Each structure stands twice: as C-alpha cells, then as structure tokens.
Amino acid sequence: MYGKGTVSINAENIMPVIKQWLYSDKDIFVRELVSNGCDAISKHKRLVSTGEAQADDAPYRIDVVVDKEAGTLSFSDNGIGMTAEEVEKYIAQVAFSGATDFISKYAGEDKGGEDTKIIGHFGLGFYSCFMVSDKVVINTRSYTGAPAVRWTSADGMTYETEESDRTERGTTITLFISDEDKDFLNLWTVRSTLEKHCAFMPVPIYLSEVQPPKPETEEKPVEEAEAGAEGEEASTVEKIEEESAPEQINDPSPLWMRKPADCTDEDYKEFYRKVFHDYEEPLFWIHLNAEYPFNLKGILYFPRIKNEFSASEGVVKLYNNQVFVADNIKEVIPEFLLLLKGVIDCPDLPLNVSRSFLQNDGYVKKMAAYITRKVADRLTSEFNNKREDYQRYWDDIHPFVKYGCIKDEKFYDRVKKALLFKTTSGEYVTLEEYRNRNCDGEECTVYYASDEKRQAQMIKLYTDQGKDVVLLDALIDANYISFLEYAERDSKITFKRIDAAADGLTEEGETSEDDRANLEKRFRGALNDENLSVQLKPFKSNEMIAMITVDEQNRRFSEMSARWGGKDLNLPEKRTLVLNAKHPLISWLKGAEDGELTSSVCAQVADLAEMARQPLVADRMVEFLKRSNELLTMMIDK
Ligand code: ADP
Ligand code: MG
C-alpha cells in the first residue's frame, strides 16, 4: 500500500495553471491550507453529529507554526484526518476534490446546519502550497483509527507514502519553504497574511514560532555562568513557554454571523474599530441578514466622512463563508456604495472569483440591487423615524447619497423623499418642503448659493425677503442639480444660483430705455468693455447699487468646460450688470458730466458687484485697491 507513485490526472498540465494563478497572489496558499483545515474540522463535527465519529474533549483548532531553524511553515488541524486511501484519492488525484465528494454524499440530508459549510470546491487549493515549497509533507491520521500516513512530495507530481507514527487525529501539512520565498518564514508576514485571509474563519487559528535554541558558543555573562545548571533550566522553560503561547489570529464568530437582535450598538462600533481601524465612530449601519432570495449576510457602515475627497476611502470586504475573498468588488457592491465600509458574506459566490464571471452573472446583479435597496430603505427609515439625527448625518453622507442618485435611478426613486437641502439659515428641507415654503404655482425655482461667505450679501437680500436659499457647495452638486432637474422634469423644478438673474431681487417699475442705453455707454467706456450689457431695474432693497448676473445655463456650461476641457475650451461667461434704478448713486451717474470721477465711480460699482459673487482676479484687485485709496483721499480733500 505504501510506496511511490505519480499524481494522477494530468498534474503536468495543471501545475502551470496553478503557478500562473498564484503568480499574482502567492500568499493565497495560506488561505487554502487553513480553509482545508476548517473543512476537515467541519466534516468531523458533522460526523460527530450523525454519530459516525466519536466526540472528544479537545477543542477544535488550527495551528500555524513557523520554524525558521528548520525552514518550515506548518498547518495542523484536529479535523477528520485522512486514511492512506483518502490521501491517494484526494491529494494524489489533483483536481478531484474531496469536498465535492463529501457534499454529494451528505448534501441530501443537509438541514442547513453549520457543519456542512465546506469551503473548498476546486480540488486545486492544496496544490497551491507547492508554489512556495521545495518539499511538502502531509502527516495525517483519520478519525477512523486507520494507520496514520506520511505523504511526501517535492514537486507536486511525484510522491512517496509511508506509515507514520502519528497518534492524534488530524492533519499536519509541513512546507519546506523554498529559498526565494523565505519571507514566509517571517512571523510578521505569516501573521499579516493570516489576518488578511483568515481573520474570520470559523475555527480558532493560532500562530506561533518555534524559538531557536540559544547558540552554545555565545559568551555568557559571569553571573549566569556561575548559576550553572539553574540558568540553563531557566532558558529551557522560557523556550517552552514561547512555543506554547500561540496567539489567536481570528474571530471565529464574527458579528455579521449573529442575529441582528443579539447585537448591541457597542458590538457594532467595536467591530468597526477592529476591522477598519477607524477610530471615528460610524454614523449608522445596516446589518444585512437575508436567506431568501439570497444567502447573504453582512454589515455596512456609513463612515463619518471628513471631506469629499476622503469619501473615496471606503472599503467593503467580501467573504465566502467567513473566508476572505476580496476587497471592493464593484460587481457585487454597487460602485457608489464603495464609499461605505463593511463586510458582505455570500456563501453562494465561488471563492476564486473572476471579474468577468461576476460581470455576467445575473445572480450577482440581483444581489447588488438588493444591497442598494436595503441602503435606500435604511436611509428613508432614518429620515422618517429619526429626522433630527438624520439631519445631523446629512452633512457627512450627502455626497455619497447624491452620487448614488446620479449613478442609479432606482436608488434615487427609493430615497428621494429623504433627500435634504441645507438652507443658509441652517435648516434642512426636502424639495417638497422647499416648494411649499417658497413657491406657488406650477413652476418652482430653487435659489442656491455655492459659496456661503462670498455670496453673503446676495444671500441676505434673498433671506430678508423671507426666501430660503439652499447651499449647494459640494463638488458633486453641479451634476446633482442637473440630474434633479432632469429626474423631476414633470414637476417643473429649476435651480438657479442667486446671481443667475436679478428677478428675485428687483421689483416691478418702469425705467427709461434712454437712461439704460446712456448708462451702458458710460460703463462700457469706464470698463473698456464693448460687450458689457447693462440693465436698469429698481431693486427691492437699496443695500445694493448693482449686481452682476450670469445666466444659469451659460455659467454651468462654462464651469463644466473649464473642469473637463482645461484652458482651451474655456468659454467666457456672459455677464450682465444690473443697476439699481432706485439708488441715488445711479441717479447721480445719470446726470453727471463725463469725467474722471464718473469713470472711477462706474469702475468701482462694477468691481463691488463682481466681488459680491466671486474674488477679483489679481490685476483687477490691484486696480480696485488703488482706486479705493484715491476715492477715500478725495473725500477728505473736499
Ligand atoms: P478542495 O478543498 O477544493 O476540495 P483541496 O486541493 O484544497 O481541494 O483539497 C483536496 C482534498 O484533500 C480535500 O477535499 C480534502 O478531501 C483533502 N484534504 C486537504 N486538506 C485536508 C486536511 N487538512 N484534512 C483532511 N483532508 C484534507
Ligand atoms: Mg481546499
């Protein structure tokens, strides 16, 4: 029975495939060996539950041991173990997965119990360890009590088997790490690899390192030498202590596997801190726990987003039965939700997912839609039930919510009642509330500011009249309002920046066209701008002498082209200078003789109007300051 053999089923063809697969992600062998250990333990539990195997008191565990001296990395489990025949069948026959065999045997009687969650599907996982090894030894003893067996192979294609003196149930896989992969003898590397792939595997995983014996040639300090035998004893004790104090790497029952009703807020926050190393508290979270139509569990957190740029730092980790698969898989998690932080566990997805597979998978698409819906519903229920809190979150979450609306109209439809606008007086209103407060009639214009400080004067003119001005100052807002105008086209909503037109600030009243033309000529001359158009209108308030307006669509277009097209496409904004017909200075200008003073006054009025909406360009600022000084000086000269 024992002897030499050659791994069957085209190992020569398969090894290069495995090599290539691993080339990109070599450390995956750790996941494969640990998950095989988990599977072996699940199988044993299963057999105990059916009475086919004997239970014992030893807790199930997996041990990963680094031995630098021996150059080995080993993985032990106290699972089902293998008989010589099983080693032959499952290990030697590459691509013949024992997992498939086991499931087909037991799936029929499966009642959805914990014990049948088998990770492996491919029958290739084990062979991944040859990528980092010069030699691999399996030492295993089956729960059946059949003689233990040792299987040794240097290349994954030829092997030797012999009887082993192993007495305890389970399997130890020892990798003799090759020179070029010595990094895997580094405790730190092994730990971080385990933490990445195995942090939530369902069996406790312990990591330890065999301490090298102290070299005898080392010179001992005098006192220790005098202590003699006693000192040596102490160092032996120390060695055993270090070996026998392995650290547990994983959390075998992660929060997302528990029932939401059994989890406290503190549990969720702690899990968040631990997994995402984010010490800012999350705003709120969603515990996904679906069995139908998907088998899907997970927790999605809304992180506190410090600014729009850090919003791209979210991370959603994907698991398959507590085995880490990948981060941020766009195909499963809709892109805009990648701003969130969280974990998704989906046992029905294959462990080794390829992007092209996921993209074309209808099941994955439905899953993504399900997650999106859950998020939208949660936001809506926060809004309906805890509006105060929700308003407080809004500043943090709005870029993400808006992005989601633009990206996915279904998301928008589900969440639209919970979309807020922050007004310049610090209130939060929905579009409907804005409409009820500010508009009557069929159409409604939402007035907004894009820079609360810069546009303070104009904001004040609106709010003094009892009109709400909303603040839309995020990067995403330009796209967002275009989206809203389109999505809400039936309800005739338009957005206008407060400097888009003077209508909101002027009142009815006749002005003479001659006066207007006359003033236009004057301003054109003073500003040396033949294209300037000037309007003359009575303002509701005399706080303002003039304002500059830029048509909303024109401004949006030139902003957009500046953003996307760079300098070449920079379309100038078409500005209109609207003069307050009621203001004494304008009346004075109408009658005054052309001269240096009127010219200075015109330039000053135009600059002030410009400054009320945006900063002056450098040259113009220099001019403005110089002129202001002159005008002040004239006042005392009088
Ligand atoms: P898979 O896990 O996809 O079935 P692997 O190549 O990882 O494929 O493993 C092949 C088979 O070898 C497993 O299905 C299992 O039957 C057996 N095996 C591997 N590792 C162990 C182990 N630690 N204990 C018991 N059986 C194992
Ligand atoms: Mg496996």
Side-chain angles (χ1 to χ4, degrees):
M1 186 170 73
Y2 300 113
K4 293 186 184 223
T6 302
V7 170
S8 60
I9 312 194
N10 305 330
E12 292 89 340
N13 296 340
I14 285 170
M15 289 310 278
V17 175
I18 303 175
K19 271 192 181 142
Q20 205 176 17
W21 165 42
L22 280 165
Y23 191 67
S24 57
D25 214 358
K26 218 171 199 176
D27 60 9
I28 219 89
F29 80 91
V30 171
R31 176 187 88 184
E32 294 299 328
L33 294 187
V34 175
S35 65
N36 281 351
C38 289
D39 283 353
I41 286 168
S42 299
K43 289 174 190 170
H44 191 258
K45 277 193 199 164
R46 171 81 189 171
L47 293 175
V48 167
S49 75
T50 60
E52 282 172 71
Q54 210 76 56
D56 61 28
D57 294 338
Y60 291 116
R61 61 185 280 161
I62 289 170
D63 280 276
V64 181
V65 181
V66 178
D67 189 339
K68 267 213 180 88
E69 185 90 350
T72 61
L73 178 62
S74 69
F75 299 79
S76 302
D77 65 72
N78 53 359
I80 192 172
M82 284 178 276
T83 64
E85 290 77 14
E86 283 166 339
V87 172
E88 180 69 29
K89 187 172 172 197
Y90 298 134
I91 298 292
Q93 293 188 17
V94 177
F96 184 84
S97 170
T100 319
D101 228 25
F102 186 88
I103 287 180
S104 65
K105 187 163 169 213
Y106 286 96
E109 9 176 322
D110 179 24
K111 293 159 205 83
E114 289 292 304
D115 307 336
T116 47
K117 284 185 185 147
I118 307 297
I119 298 162
H121 295 295
F122 290 96
L124 288 179
F126 167 73
Y127 273 83
S128 61
C129 63
F130 282 99
M131 298 308 102
V132 295
S133 310
D134 284 338
K135 185 168 82 174
V136 175
V137 176
I138 303 175
N139 187 9
T140 180
R141 185 183 179 88
S142 165
Y143 76 100
T144 58
V149 56
R150 183 192 312 276
W151 180 94
T152 308
S153 177
D155 56 5
M157 290 182 271
T158 57
Y159 61 87
E160 281 177 24
T161 51
E162 59 191 331
E163 191 168 339
S164 143
D165 54 5
R166 181 181 179 115
T167 52
E168 71 282 15
R169 186 193 73 237
T171 304
T172 299
I173 313 248
T174 305
L175 313 183
F176 291 78
I177 300 293
S178 62
D179 274 346
E180 60 189 277
D181 296 300
K182 280 280 180 273
D183 200 25
F184 287 110
L185 292 175
N186 182 331
L187 193 68
W188 188 87
T189 306
V190 177
R191 183 189 295 120
S192 62
T193 310
L194 284 167
E195 278 168 354
K196 178 175 165 199
H197 293 290
C198 311
F200 299 107
M201 283 197 189
V203 176
I205 302 163
Y206 297 93
L207 173 64
S208 60
E209 183 169 28
V210 175
Q211 296 302 313
K214 295 231 161 77
E216 277 173 29
T217 49
E218 202 180 290
E219 268 187 47
K220 286 178 186 161
V222 186
E223 307 92 278
E224 230 186 81
E226 273 171 6
E230 240 179 72
E232 238 144 62
E233 238 173 59
S235 78
T236 325
V237 169
E238 205 177 285
K239 180 186 165 189
I240 290 166
E241 248 173 25
E242 281 184 66
E243 268 185 66
S244 61
E247 50 173 327
Q248 182 168 347
I249 292 293
N250 62 330
D251 170 4
S253 43
L255 199 60
W256 75 77
M257 298 299 283
R258 286 201 239 151
K259 286 203 196 85
D262 297 340
C263 307
T264 66
D265 283 4
E266 200 32 61
D267 290 338
Y268 288 113
K269 288 178 195 168
E270 196 197 315
F271 184 77
Y272 180 79
R273 277 194 297 273
K274 245 175 49 192
V275 177
F276 302 103
H277 309 291
D278 184 347
Y279 292 89
E280 290 266 14
E281 272 193 12
L283 299 169
F284 53 94
W285 49 84
I286 307 172
H287 194 149
L288 302 165
N289 190 341
E291 277 175 15
Y292 183 82
F294 313 97
N295 193 353
L296 182 147
K297 292 190 169 71
I299 305 172
L300 289 175
Y301 290 93
F302 289 71
R304 194 170 291 278
I305 296 166
K306 278 135 257 153
N307 58 54
E308 254 184 286
F309 306 101
S310 75
S312 54
E313 285 168 12
V315 54
V316 179
K317 294 169 187 278
L318 187 64
Y319 293 82
N320 174 325
N321 265 332
Q322 300 176 228
V323 180
F324 176 71
V325 176
D327 274 337
N328 294 352
I329 296 202
K330 277 213 288 295
E331 289 73 16
V332 180
I333 320 292
E335 195 187 344
F336 72 93
L337 293 181
L338 295 179
L339 303 178
L340 304 183
K341 293 184 178 176
V343 293
I344 300 279
D345 193 330
C346 183
D348 300 327
L349 277 184
L351 196 53
N352 295 295
V353 281
S354 86
R355 296 254 142 130
S356 58
F357 165 80
L358 290 174
Q359 270 159 8
N360 299 317
D361 194 45
Y363 175 83
V364 169
K365 288 207 181 89
K366 279 190 210 135
M367 208 168 89
Y370 170 82
I371 295 170
T372 305
R373 202 175 66 214
K374 283 286 175 190
V375 171
D377 290 353
R378 179 57 196 271
L379 289 167
T380 309
S381 88
E382 285 286 310
F383 168 76
N384 288 335
N385 304 322
K386 298 185 194 161
R387 178 150 178 180
E388 295 259 301
D389 290 342
Y390 181 77
Q391 290 184 173
R392 238 176 298 120
Y393 308 146
W394 183 253
D395 287 345
D396 283 290
I397 64 172
H398 75 97
F400 139 78
V401 178
K402 290 169 178 174
Y403 187 58
C405 291
I406 296 169
K407 283 273 163 186
D408 182 348
E409 213 164 330
K410 286 213 188 84
F411 177 75
Y412 170 70
D413 282 338
R414 280 192 100 86
V415 85
K416 71 180 178 191
K417 294 231 152 52
L419 298 174
L420 293 179
F421 293 87
K422 185 181 183 177
T423 71
T424 54
S425 49
E427 288 177 278
Y428 293 84
V429 294
T430 64
L431 204 49
E432 199 182 314
E433 288 162 352
Y434 185 94
R435 188 173 198 135
N436 292 341
R437 276 159 60 158
N438 298 280
C439 306
D440 33 43
E442 228 188 284
E443 286 167 29
C444 183
T445 302
V446 179
Y447 287 100
Y448 70 95
S450 59
D451 186 328
E452 197 171 13
K453 290 202 190 93
R454 187 73 61 191
Q455 295 156 354
Q457 189 197 21
M458 274 187 277
I459 292 171
K460 181 170 179 295
L461 294 177
Y462 276 91
T463 51
D464 280 354
Q465 298 171 43
K467 276 214 181 298
D468 290 313
V469 175
V470 304
L471 204 55
L472 290 170
D473 55 2
L475 266 183
I476 186 98
D477 281 329
N479 295 320
Y480 179 59
I481 57 183
S482 299
F483 165 81
L484 283 178
E485 285 171 343
Y486 173 76
E488 293 302 311
R489 56 198 176 281
D490 292 341
S491 48
K492 300 210 168 67
I493 291 276
T494 45
F495 287 81
K496 262 190 192 167
R497 202 166 88 175
I498 45 178
D499 59 353
D503 338 344
L505 301 179
T506 56
E507 53 189 25
E508 302 287 311
E510 286 295 303
T511 51
S512 113
E513 168 56 24
D514 279 356
D515 285 347
R516 190 205 64 78
N518 182 3
L519 284 163
E520 184 171 84
K521 202 165 140 233
R522 234 174 215 193
F523 273 89
R524 284 181 173 181
L527 299 171
N528 202 8
D529 177 359
E530 277 313 299
N531 295 319
L532 183 75
S533 71
V534 168
Q535 289 179 359
L536 185 62
K537 286 181 175 168
F539 284 22
K540 284 176 185 159
S541 152
N542 255 0
E543 278 178 39
M544 237 181 172
I545 307 172
M547 71 182 281
I548 291 193
T549 62
V550 178
D551 173 71
E552 177 77 13
Q553 298 307 327
N554 177 260
R555 197 201 75 248
R556 284 191 207 174
F557 198 67
S558 69
E559 276 173 1
M560 213 163 65
S561 63
R563 206 188 290 177
W564 302 116
K567 276 211 180 80
D568 298 343
L569 252 168
N570 210 349
L571 301 168
E573 295 176 339
K574 265 180 41 218
R575 289 151 195 234
T576 304
L577 181 66
V578 188
L579 302 173
N580 182 357
K582 280 191 348 197
H583 200 279
L585 197 69
I586 300 299
S587 312
W588 173 82
L589 264 179
K590 277 193 290 196
E593 286 272 324
D594 255 344
E596 232 177 273
L597 182 62
T598 53
S599 176
S600 285
V601 168
C602 285
Q604 195 75 358
V605 165
D607 281 356
L608 288 170
E610 179 69 14
M611 285 165 82
R613 58 188 292 274
Q614 63 183 22
L616 297 181
V617 294
D619 287 354
R620 196 166 169 185
M621 189 58 162
V622 171
E623 262 308 299
F624 170 78
L625 292 173
K626 187 166 155 244
R627 191 185 328 106
S628 299
N629 289 338
E630 286 165 7
L631 289 169
L632 278 176
T633 314
M634 276 170 61
M635 284 169 65
I636 48 165
D637 280 353
K638 266 198 174 171

